[in-house]
Amino acid sequence: SQLSQALNGLSDRAKEAKEFLVQLRNMVQQIQENSVEFEACLVAQCDALIDALNRRKAQLLSRVNKEHEHKLKVVRDQISHCTVKLRQTTGLMEYCLEVIKENDPSGFLQISDALIRRVHLTEDQWGKGTLTPRMTTDFDLNLDNAPLLQSIHQLDFVQMKVSSPVPAPPILQLEECCTHNNSATLSWKQPPLSTVQVEGYILELDDGNGGQFREVYVGKETMCTVDGLHFNSTYSARVKAFNKTGVSPYSKTLVLQTSEDTQSEEQTLPFPVPLERSQLRRMSPFSSTLNLQPSFPGRSYFELRSSAHQLSLHSSLQSLNSA
């Protein structure tokens, strides 16, 4: 008898170890998927920075081109101005030389004073600054890239340590799951070797016809009774855990068969509940009972009761979800 009990305990540990190995294999696949997604996100962020840098480079090059055109214009204007003045000066010098060669002294004396004044005036026009370039060849622009280079060298991940992982898939406790008439009680737990903190659970149930799953309970409790199901129907149930990091994979799907009796033991007040995703959060330490009473296709109604204080709360899942 003692050996049998010891074997049963060892068998439970072996079962838990097997489930833990499955969890580890799922983690390998999840790590690979998260790595690909994270790398794609990192590449996209770096590409965005490169695009922003290229746009800024184009803007800076445009400013350089404008400065280049301005310098050329100033120099070309000064070349044109000096060319005209040099032509005028050269013409005056040639005219004066021809006058000096004149053999008529009386004629020379009549125009010499005017020529002297004109020569001095022209010389003054070539005064200080006229023969100095108005523009330098250097570009008085200095790109201050030190802050950007420092920011690039400081570019790093905000959080270097590994964040808390998502919870492991809950385990449905088959020995505690059962059906009675048109109600179903489901119980689950976290894997015994899991140390990840869990903030709550999400229980999902299909429509009894193999349709889509919908949430019937969200909270911290590990047991939930769902009433008001269709008689003589087969339902599929599954549960997942969540914390601040994310949501765990689903547990194994449990198939439940309701009774063939068509008499309902309880009558609930009708409140419309859409079949799409709806949340019902409950922080009470008591087990929850969720009554679902079908009325017409696409609608269901519920009643939440606390088994400890026999309190009833009728409300719409749709209003709870929107809140």
Side-chain angles (χ1 to χ4, degrees):
S1 176
Q2 294 179 353
L3 179 60
S4 177
Q5 292 178 356
L7 287 176
N8 289 334
L10 183 60
S11 175
D12 293 338
R13 293 295 178 269
K15 181 180 178 181
E16 293 174 358
K18 183 178 180 181
E19 294 173 349
F20 182 66
L21 287 175
V22 173
Q23 177 184 348
L24 291 179
R25 294 190 182 96
N26 293 335
M27 288 179 62
V28 172
Q29 179 65 24
Q30 189 173 3
I31 289 173
Q32 293 176 348
E33 295 176 355
N34 291 342
S35 175
V36 173
E37 182 180 356
F38 185 78
E39 289 179 0
C41 181
L42 179 61
V43 171
Q45 290 177 324
C46 292
D47 290 342
L49 293 177
I50 294 174
D51 292 340
L53 183 60
N54 287 331
R55 288 193 297 269
R56 189 56 181 168
K57 180 180 70 174
Q59 295 173 357
L60 295 176
L61 287 176
S62 177
R63 290 181 56 185
V64 172
N65 291 332
K66 289 181 180 179
E67 183 68 16
H68 167 257
E69 295 296 332
H70 174 67
K71 286 180 176 292
L72 289 180
K73 183 178 183 304
V74 172
V75 173
R76 286 168 180 169
D77 290 344
Q78 191 172 14
I79 290 174
S80 177
H81 179 71
C82 289
T83 301
V84 173
K85 289 184 66 64
L86 181 60
R87 188 181 296 114
Q88 293 174 352
T89 301
T90 303
L92 177 61
M93 292 173 60
E94 292 176 351
Y95 177 73
C96 291
L97 291 174
E98 292 297 329
V99 171
I100 292 175
K101 294 178 183 179
E102 182 62 37
N103 295 326
D104 184 8
S106 60
F108 177 78
L109 292 174
Q110 290 178 357
I111 64 173
S112 60
D113 293 338
L115 286 177
I116 292 172
R117 288 194 300 269
R118 186 172 178 184
V119 169
H120 286 302
L121 179 62
T122 303
E123 184 182 2
D124 292 339
Q125 291 178 354
W126 290 101
K128 185 178 181 181
T130 306
L131 299 179
T132 303
R134 299 176 184 174
M135 183 61 65
T136 61
T137 58
D138 296 332
F139 284 81
D140 300 329
L141 298 173
N142 186 19
L143 182 62
D144 185 13
N145 60 349
L148 180 59
L149 289 176
Q150 184 178 3
S151 299
I152 292 176
H153 292 313
Q154 293 177 349
L155 186 64
D156 204 343
F157 300 109
V158 176
Q159 187 176 3
M160 297 298 295
K161 63 181 182 179
V162 180
S163 59
S164 176
V166 298
I171 299 176
L172 287 169
Q173 301 188 86
L174 303 181
E175 64 278 5
E176 298 185 13
C177 298
C178 61
T179 60
H180 178 68
N181 291 333
N182 64 334
S183 66
T185 299
L186 297 112
S187 178
W188 58 88
K189 65 178 182 179
Q190 276 297 105
L193 301 180
S194 177
T195 59
V196 180
Q197 183 179 3
V198 177
E199 295 185 1
Y201 302 91
I202 300 175
L203 176 64
E204 295 184 358
L205 205 68
D206 68 357
D207 59 358
N209 294 318
Q212 294 182 352
F213 284 87
R214 59 190 177 102
E215 293 182 5
V216 295
Y217 172 73
V218 178
K220 292 186 175 182
E221 300 170 15
T222 58
M223 178 176 291
C224 180
T225 299
V226 182
D227 292 338
L229 302 176
H230 293 283
F231 286 96
N232 194 22
S233 299
T234 301
Y235 288 88
S236 297
R238 62 186 184 183
V239 64
K240 58 184 178 180
F242 64 88
N243 59 12
K244 294 181 179 179
T245 304
V247 182
S248 74
Y250 287 103
S251 66
K252 294 181 179 180
T253 302
L254 177 64
V255 179
L256 302 169
Q257 178 69 40
T258 58
S259 173
E260 296 182 358
D261 187 8
T262 58
Q263 298 296 326
S264 176
E265 297 181 356
E266 294 183 354
Q267 182 67 27
T268 61
L269 297 178
F271 287 91
V273 178
L275 283 176
E276 58 265 17
R277 177 185 175 92
S278 57
Q279 295 185 351
L280 173 61
R281 298 191 178 274
R282 182 169 165 77
M283 307 301 290
S284 170
F286 314 115
S287 63
S288 295
T289 299
L290 187 66
N291 294 329
L292 298 176
Q293 178 181 353
S295 59
F296 53 90
R299 295 287 181 178
S300 296
Y301 306 115
F302 82 96
E303 178 184 14
L304 175 65
R305 296 183 288 108
S306 171
S307 58
H309 298 284
Q310 294 299 322
L311 299 178
S312 296
L313 173 63
H314 299 280
S315 181
S316 171
L317 279 179
Q318 186 176 9
S319 63
L320 284 175
N321 186 36
S322 61

